[in-house]
Amino acid sequence: MPYQDILGVFDLQQFNKANGSLSVRTPVDGSELAKLQETPEANMAQIIAHAEQAFLAWRSIPAPRRGELVRLLGEELRAAKQELGRLVSLEAGKILSEGLGEVQEMIDICDLAVGQSRQLFGLTIASERPGHRMMETWQPLGVVGVITAFNFPVAVWAWNSALALICGNAVIWKPSEKTPLTALATHEIAKRALKRFGDAPEHLLQVVIGGASLGNALVESPKVALISATGSTRMGRAIAPKVAARFGKCLLELGGNNAMIVAPSADLDLAVRAITFSAIGTCGQRCTSLRRLIVHESIADQLLPKLLNAYKSVPIGSPLEQGTLVGPLIDQAALQAMQHALENAKAQGGTVHGGELVDGVKGGAYVKPALVEMPVQTAVVQEETFAPILYVLRYKTLDEAIALQNNVPQGLSSCIFTNDVREAETFVSVTGSDCGIANVNIGPSGAEIGGAFGGEKETGGGRESGSDAWKAYMRRQTSTVNYSRSLPLAQGVRFDI
Ligand code: UN1
């Protein structure tokens, strides 16, 4: 088996079984990294019951002490940053710098969560009744099921788990079946933190390896209080009604179809750099990747040649090699989906630049990023294709550009490049972008963890990571305490017996 030095660090060999049914392949060259035994679906009830037991013990540990576990997790992640970053690169195919960035994102959310563990603030509310106090308290929720996608195989777990843990919950993680090794490695790192912490309940953090049926067991169990799922809109459509049917909570981060408006006053050099990073970085496989470029007609003929030039010079190849900026697509199916979208785009009037296969590393799905000029926002432009395809549309007025930007079913991220303060403020105003993220002079991807992350419409409405996203992992409790000697009723109701 190749790549032994990368896999060896976390003792992943222990999970590699000759009769394992889950074949894990690296997108670098398609070779098999391991065969893993999948978690039997029949075990899920027990796994959930264990998590519930862990929750019952963990919820009584004071939140700042729970924060100590997350502080230790952050320390262990710092110590393992290089090794885990390399493994992310190997298993998900993103370049090393982005693999390391992903681990840094985990460390950052741990830092945020540690501080948050001392700030799970409630409210005191003025009561209309004398001698009464009203208050609002945030209580732990229970078992949190975290379902993650291949493209951020470890950071999204960390966003959810760091907060879920300080909020007093137990976590069951169902990673993508395309990236189970990074999940197992992360679990090993978490075990180091748990060991140092000492008295955390057993089964506080669990990981299950396998396909959709395991996720479904979490989704359907009334014992799983919150399902936090990242993935396609199709997946969200399957999950959300099932969780709703049992009145569970859902936190969804689904498809994006992120746009950038480039206005006449934009700094074009800045825009070109932002466009290339967000459209072709991570080989177009971030949910925040730039997929639509809405350019003012007066500058389009200036911007496009600059972009085509930048696209030509971008080094494509093994993500493990220094200097590569674009690695492979995750697998051959992703490549086919890209080719299919490009054919549709042509049929719908598009002019395609790029998109051809590249001799990267034999066995991998290496491709030139595509830039596609479209006459109008056709059906294919309204879809999320998880690949480096950037559709280019032209506009005349800002109103028209904002309408184009908003006129897709997804609502994750968006941005405008302009030096005109009126345009910038309009874009982030009530009549501007309808997305969860709306940036000015910054691309749509690469968000910091301090803000709430997520989007509207078919993106699912969930918010993870910073700001007050922690509230999604807790239940709100309103209490009225009567410290008087009488029993006045609210709204002046009389009921004297
Ligand atoms: C994702 O693609 O699911 O904003 C998450 C970004 C990253 C997270 C992306 N911080 O691009």
Side-chain angles (χ1 to χ4, degrees), residues 128-411:
E128 67 187 54
R129 288 170 279 187
H132 283 58
R133 183 166 69 86
M134 262 205 284
M135 61 180 174
E136 196 171 86
T137 313
W138 292 92
Q139 308 284 14
L141 208 53
V143 177
V144 176
V146 178
I147 299 172
T148 57
F150 78 85
N151 67 325
F152 273 79
V154 286
V156 174
W157 169 82
W159 295 353
N160 283 282
S161 299
L163 291 179
L165 283 175
I166 61 129
C167 291
N169 305 300
V171 178
I172 303 173
W173 181 14
K174 186 341 221 151
S176 163
E177 53 269 51
K178 291 177 185 168
T179 51
L181 293 174
T182 41
L184 290 168
T186 300
H187 195 63
E188 292 299 300
I189 293 168
K191 280 207 266 191
R192 295 173 192 164
L194 284 161
K195 192 164 170 208
R196 282 172 65 196
F197 182 81
D199 57 352
E202 213 189 339
H203 306 301
L204 183 61
L205 292 171
Q206 298 182 87
V207 58
V208 295
I209 299 297
S213 64
L214 304 183
N216 198 48
L218 297 173
V219 163
E220 288 189 338
S221 171
K223 292 185 170 158
V224 179
L226 172 70
I227 292 288
S228 176
T230 302
S232 64
T233 296
R234 195 166 60 91
M235 178 201 73
R237 249 192 249 293
I239 285 179
K242 290 187 187 169
V243 180
R246 62 173 177 85
F247 299 100
K249 290 182 199 287
C250 238
L251 197 174
L252 297 175
E253 202 247 291
L254 310 173
N257 194 352
N258 317 297
M260 177 192 292
I261 297 173
V262 188
S265 66
D267 179 330
L268 290 191
D269 290 330
L270 217 64
V272 167
R273 284 172 54 198
I275 293 164
T276 44
F277 171 66
S278 52
I280 69 181
T282 335
C283 202
Q285 296 172 113
R286 288 190 188 218
C287 52
T288 50
S289 288
L290 179 64
R291 311 210 179 277
R292 297 178 296 138
L293 190 63
I294 305 170
V295 195
H296 193 265
E297 58 175 10
S298 66
I299 51 162
D301 292 333
Q302 244 176 299
L303 180 62
L304 287 188
K306 280 182 197 273
L307 263 184
L308 286 170
N309 238 350
Y311 267 50
K312 262 186 216 126
S313 63
V314 66
I316 305 169
S318 167
L320 298 170
E321 247 152 58
Q322 282 285 329
T324 298
L325 289 182
V326 176
L329 286 164
I330 188 71
D331 54 22
Q332 297 298 327
L335 183 65
Q336 275 162 22
M338 177 174 176
Q339 301 304 324
H340 186 65
L342 290 178
E343 276 159 31
N344 281 344
K346 269 188 219 158
Q348 291 168 24
T351 308
V352 177
H353 310 271
E356 305 91 356
L357 300 191
V358 175
D359 290 333
V361 186
K362 200 169 173 300
Y366 293 86
V367 72
K368 275 196 188 146
L371 228 145
V372 186
E373 293 181 76
M374 294 300 292
V376 287
Q377 188 152 268
T378 62
V380 73
V381 183
Q382 304 207 19
E383 282 165 20
E384 179 191 46
T385 303
F386 225 56
I389 301 177
L390 181 61
Y391 298 108
V392 184
L393 300 156
R394 298 179 185 223
Y395 79 90
K396 285 192 174 67
T397 66
L398 184 64
D399 283 352
E400 183 194 350
I402 292 173
L404 275 171
Q405 129 74 33
N406 290 344
N407 193 21
V408 290
Q410 311 84 352

Side-chain angles (χ1 to χ4, degrees), residues 380-461:
V380 73
V381 183
Q382 304 207 19
E383 282 165 20
E384 179 191 46
T385 303
F386 225 56
I389 301 177
L390 181 61
Y391 298 108
V392 184
L393 300 156
R394 298 179 185 223
Y395 79 90
K396 285 192 174 67
T397 66
L398 184 64
D399 283 352
E400 183 194 350
I402 292 173
L404 275 171
Q405 129 74 33
N406 290 344
N407 193 21
V408 290
Q410 311 84 352
L412 178 55
S413 190
S414 61
C415 60
I416 188 167
F417 270 70
T418 179
N419 281 328
D420 180 331
V421 72
R422 288 187 180 131
E423 288 187 333
E425 289 291 336
T426 301
F427 186 73
V428 296
S429 79
V430 60
T431 55
S433 163
D434 65 359
C435 291
I437 299 170
N439 294 333
V440 177
N441 293 336
I442 296 175
S445 67
E448 303 172 22
I449 54 90
F453 183 90
E456 303 303 326
K457 303 192 291 188
E458 287 191 1
T459 304

